[in-house]
Amino acid sequence: MGQHIGLDVSLKDTAIAIREDGHRIWRGKCRSDPASIAQTVRKHAPEPQSVVFETGPLATWFFHVLKGEGLPAICIEARHAQKILGETLNKTDANDAEGLARLAETGFYKAVRVKSFESMLIRSLVAARTQLLSMTTQLTNLIRGLMKTFGLVVPKSKGSVFEANVERLLEGYVELAQIILPLLETWRAIRKRVSALNRQLRHAARHSPSTRLLMTIPGIGAITAISYVAAIENPKNFPRSRSVGAWLGLTTRRYQSGEVDFDGHISRRGDHRLRGLLYEAATSLLTRTRADTVSDLKTWGLQLRERIGFKRAAVAVARKLAVIMHSMLRTGQEFIPTREVVA
């Protein structure tokens, strides 16, 4: 039989445990470099059957490099693994690696799909843009708050208008200007970086047929579409379109024990950033009044809002959007706003 390897990965060192026929045959440590780990594994386990490690910041790098080295790398769900590893009396990296090797040996684990580096680049681009936008909002609020202390209320405005209002109000306040103007300069520089990232996203969206296809849905913009494509990668990864809603954490959690049986809030598992984008798209679809937003999906969402409220209806529409978008990617068909009823 082959050997089963468990890796407890950290930033500096990785604990390694190798088991065969129900017994540990080697345990040690190696620096957290997948090429070095592959060399160590080959030295002590010439017939590796599985190399198991948990999801984490280094998981994508480890998975692709170990696969490139010819090792049977398997990334498993950390939340599932920790429920098993937490039962050990002493919490150490070595014991965690041993526990992962045992899971690999028994096959009692939940493997996850590791995204490609190309998809991770898109996700990193969207994450960087989101973070910079958050920083501009924080700086805007900071500038408004500091100026308000001195009775300088900046009118409600955005962009260059906000910048002009701040500079106008600071006239005659030399000492305060020495504090606010550097913040305003930083705010201006961050906005330029956001604009550059926006251009990169639009360029990527224009050159992606899948992204252009998803943008035929009202409320779905370039960022949501390209984030969805990067997350799904291949529609064949999901045998059923309905599975995407659960994968994104947009389905309700059920609790049943004895006589107790109820549905709770949505699970909030999976990609939280994409889940938020889909919720924003659903909110946009339900609140816009333009003629080009009329569709059977919007009508269904508005009817649902009357029964269960806006927020819960928006979550339901977001889940429906995730399902429809997967179906569109699988079939290559554009969004159909309304279906004609045949008499």
Side-chain angles (χ1 to χ4, degrees):
M1 295 180 62
Q3 294 91 17
H4 299 272
I5 298 96
L7 305 179
D8 185 64
V9 181
S10 64
L11 289 175
K12 185 178 179 181
D13 296 313
T14 295
I16 306 174
I18 303 175
R19 294 181 62 85
E20 183 178 14
D21 296 333
H23 302 282
R24 185 178 70 226
I25 61 175
W26 187 81
R27 184 163 70 174
K29 268 192 174 183
C30 181
R31 64 187 181 91
S32 291
D33 176 69
S36 301
I37 292 173
Q39 184 178 1
T40 303
V41 167
R42 288 198 195 94
K43 179 180 178 181
H44 299 280
E47 298 178 2
Q49 187 170 335
S50 60
V51 180
V52 170
F53 54 93
E54 300 171 86
T55 54
L58 302 179
T60 303
W61 177 43
F62 265 61
F63 179 82
H64 290 296
V65 174
L66 290 176
K67 279 288 188 180
E69 294 284 344
L71 295 179
I74 301 173
C75 185
I76 69 175
E77 174 61 50
R79 189 182 291 108
H80 176 259
Q82 286 305 314
K83 292 181 179 179
I84 307 300
L85 300 179
E87 296 300 319
T88 57
L89 181 61
N90 298 313
K91 172 68 174 71
T92 65
D93 292 343
N95 286 344
D96 285 349
E98 180 77 16
L100 291 172
R102 288 178 181 271
L103 289 178
E105 199 172 31
T106 60
F108 187 65
Y109 56 80
K110 186 182 295 184
V112 299
R113 174 175 55 88
V114 179
K115 296 179 178 63
S116 65
F117 283 127
E118 290 76 11
S119 296
M120 293 305 296
L121 278 174
I122 295 295
R123 289 167 57 84
S124 299
L125 180 59
V126 174
R129 175 189 176 275
T130 302
Q131 184 61 36
L132 289 180
L133 281 175
S134 175
M135 293 170 64
T136 58
T137 301
Q138 293 177 8
L139 282 173
T140 299
N141 293 336
L142 177 60
I143 291 172
R144 288 180 180 276
L146 292 176
M147 294 180 64
K148 195 181 299 182
T149 303
F150 299 90
L152 304 176
V153 180
V154 182
K156 186 177 181 180
S157 53
K158 295 181 180 179
S160 59
V161 179
F162 169 79
E163 182 180 358
N165 286 334
V166 171
E167 292 176 344
R168 175 178 54 82
L169 290 173
L170 286 175
E171 293 179 359
Y173 293 84
V174 179
E175 294 182 351
L176 182 60
Q178 292 176 351
I179 300 173
I180 300 298
L181 290 180
L183 295 176
L184 191 62
E185 184 178 353
T186 304
W187 173 87
R188 189 186 304 115
I190 294 176
R191 280 177 54 86
K192 289 182 179 179
R193 292 297 95 200
V194 172
S195 298
L197 294 180
N198 284 337
R199 288 192 294 270
Q200 293 183 45
L201 281 169
R202 287 194 295 267
H203 180 270
R206 283 196 300 267
H207 289 77
S208 171
S210 298
T211 301
R212 295 199 304 270
L213 178 68
L214 296 182
M215 289 173 63
T216 60
I217 305 175
I220 299 296
I223 296 174
T224 304
I226 201 169
S227 298
Y228 188 91
V229 172
I232 298 297
E233 293 188 303
N234 188 347
K236 294 181 180 179
N237 290 327
F238 298 87
R240 296 188 307 166
S241 296
R242 293 183 60 183
S243 302
V244 182
W247 180 69
L248 289 173
L250 288 168
T251 54
T252 56
R253 301 178 63 179
R254 184 185 178 193
Y255 179 85
Q256 188 277 324
S257 178
E259 302 300 323
V260 179
D261 189 356
F262 65 89
D263 291 330
H265 298 288
I266 59 174
S267 64
R268 299 180 187 273
R269 298 287 178 87
D271 191 336
H272 68 93
R273 189 173 292 110
L274 179 56
R275 185 170 59 249
L277 289 172
L278 288 173
Y279 182 83
E280 290 179 10
T283 301
S284 175
L285 180 65
L286 293 177
T287 55
R288 286 182 180 177
T289 57
R290 297 203 311 262
D292 58 355
T293 63
V294 177
S295 64
D296 292 341
L297 176 61
K298 181 176 181 178
T299 302
W300 175 79
L302 292 175
Q303 293 173 350
L304 200 61
R305 184 183 66 176
E306 298 298 323
R307 300 201 311 268
I308 63 177
F310 180 82
K311 289 186 177 180
R312 296 172 70 183
V315 171
V317 172
R319 181 170 60 249
K320 185 78 74 172
L321 279 172
V323 174
I324 292 173
M325 291 165 75
H326 179 267
S327 180
M328 290 171 62
L329 290 178
R330 192 183 64 228
T331 61
Q333 185 178 15
E334 291 189 0
F335 179 71
I336 302 175
T338 56
R339 294 188 177 274
E340 298 180 0
V341 179
V342 180

